[in-house]
Amino acid sequence: MKIFALGCTHGKLPKSFSKDASKADVIVCTGDMAAAGPYMAPGKYKTVKSLYEWWDSLSKSELNKLQKKIDRSYYDVVEKLSSSKKPLVVIRGNMYRAKSGDKFTRKLFNKYNVKYAPVGKRKIYSYDFISLDFHYETHNVRSEGKASKREIKRLINFFRLKLFKKNFPKLLKKSKNAIIVSHVPPYRCLDALGGPHMPKKLIGKHVGSKLLRNAIEKYKPILVICSHIHEARGVARIGKTTVVNVGSFGQYALINVEGGTVRVNLR
Ligand SMILES: [Mn+2]
C-alpha cells in the first residue's frame, strides 16, 4: 500500500500533488491546512515573537482582509486533497478550533465529503487507520510555559484530552495492522522545538504527546504519521514502529507499507 502523506500544509500543497496522489492508494493529511496568520508577515522577522507582534499590530480591516485569504487557502487545500478521489484520512490540527472556525471547518468538510473524527478508526485495505487529533497535555500547553494553571486546564479541556485518553487506547487495542494519523508527534520523538525563530531557552524542548508515546510502546502500531513541529521533520523508530514527521508547507512523504515493512521517502 502506497501512502501519500503531508500535513501542516498552511495553504501550500506540493506542485507534484496531483501526479503523486494519483499513484498512491491512500492520501493522509495530518491537519493545519490553512495558511498560518503570523507567518504571512512580509519581510524578514527574526523571532516568533516579532511575527506575532506584526500580527497584533494589524488594524481590523487589514485583519479581515488577511482572514479572507486564510479562509480561501483552507478551502483550496481541502478541495484539492479531496479531488484525488483516493481514500482520504484527514484530521484538523490546532487551527480553526474556536466556535466560528469549527463551524467553518464542518461546512467545508461536508461540502467535499471529507470524513472526520477527532479520534476514530477506518479500515482501508487491510489496515486500521486510527486518527488522533490535536490535544494538549500539562507539559506542552504553550511551549513558553507561561500559561496559568487555570489556562492550562481550560486548554486541556477545550481540546478534549479526556475523550482521547478514553477512546484512543481502546481503538488501538482492538486494531490489527494499525496506522496512526496524529497531528502531534509522540513525546521525545521528532518533537523537539528548534529553528532560527525559536527563543534559545526553548530549543530542544520536547512537546510531543505522552498519550501517543505510551500507546505506541504498548500496542506497537506499524506506522505513525504526524507533523505540528515543523522543524522536527524526519523519520524515526520507537521499537518496531516507524514514526514519520512529514514537515510543513508542502513538504511530504511517500510511504510504502507491505506487511510489516515500512519504507519512507521524504520529499
Ligand atoms: Mn499544528
Side-chain angles (χ1 to χ4, degrees), residues 172-220:
L172 263 177
K173 196 177 174 182
K174 286 191 223 150
S175 291
K176 271 188 186 161
N177 296 332
I179 294 176
I180 297 172
V181 176
S182 171
H183 186 63
V184 185
Y187 184 60
R188 297 195 86 88
C189 181
L190 307 173
D191 72 329
L193 297 176
H197 299 298
M198 194 59 63
K200 269 208 177 87
K201 60 173 183 180
L202 292 180
I203 290 177
K205 185 177 170 164
H206 294 283
V207 291
S209 165
K210 292 183 180 176
L211 170 66
L212 176 56
R213 172 92 201 196
N214 292 337
I216 292 168
E217 287 174 1
K218 188 159 181 195
Y219 298 108
K220 305 172 175 53

Side-chain angles (χ1 to χ4, degrees), residues 241-261:
T241 302
T242 302
V243 182
V244 186
N245 177 335
V246 293
S248 58
F249 292 96
Q251 295 175 320
Y252 62 102
L254 300 174
I255 307 171
N256 212 324
V257 188
E258 280 320 324
T261 308

Side-chain angles (χ1 to χ4, degrees), residues 225-237:
I225 305 170
C226 59
S227 56
H228 189 54
I229 308 303
H230 303 170
E231 61 272 33
R233 179 178 202 233
V235 184
R237 275 179 189 267

Side-chain angles (χ1 to χ4, degrees), residues 24-167:
D25 301 303
V26 183
I27 314 293
V28 166
C29 183
T30 56
D32 281 5
M33 280 78 91
Y39 288 85
M40 295 164 96
K44 287 193 170 83
Y45 284 84
K46 281 207 173 92
T47 61
V48 172
K49 208 176 143 211
S50 61
L51 295 177
Y52 280 86
E53 277 166 4
W54 167 78
W55 182 255
D56 289 338
S57 74
L58 296 170
S59 69
K60 244 197 165 149
S61 72
E62 286 172 313
L63 269 176
N64 279 337
K65 229 172 118 187
L66 276 174
Q67 192 54 51
K68 277 197 183 121
K69 262 192 174 171
I70 294 169
D71 288 350
R72 185 73 237 166
S73 74
Y74 194 5
Y75 215 85
D76 288 346
V77 168
V78 173
E79 182 181 41
K80 195 91 204 255
L81 285 174
S82 60
S83 72
S84 76
K85 309 282 173 214
K86 299 290 172 82
L88 172 65
V89 182
V90 71
I91 48 177
R92 292 172 48 176
N94 50 281
M95 301 181 74
Y96 280 76
R97 300 304 291 262
K99 241 186 189 168
S100 59
D102 191 58
K103 215 173 139 192
F104 185 95
T105 302
R106 259 190 264 173
K107 217 173 134 188
L108 176 54
F109 281 12
N110 273 337
K111 178 169 175 169
Y112 293 105
N113 264 321
V114 173
K115 290 185 186 124
Y116 166 75
V119 52
K121 175 159 108 177
R122 256 171 84 190
K123 195 171 174 143
I124 301 174
Y125 302 109
S126 56
Y127 298 90
D128 283 331
F129 281 78
I130 309 215
S131 60
L132 178 68
D133 214 341
F134 180 81
H135 55 282
Y136 268 133
E137 292 163 327
T138 315
H139 72 287
N140 65 1
V141 173
R142 298 260 173 98
S143 44
E144 305 95 315
K146 276 181 193 153
S148 68
K149 270 194 178 153
R150 209 171 133 191
E151 177 67 357
I152 289 174
K153 213 173 157 189
R154 187 189 72 79
L155 284 168
I156 284 174
N157 288 334
F158 179 78
F159 286 104
R160 307 170 83 182
L161 181 61
K162 249 194 193 157
L163 174 88
F164 293 124
K165 272 191 167 166
K166 183 168 164 248
N167 292 346

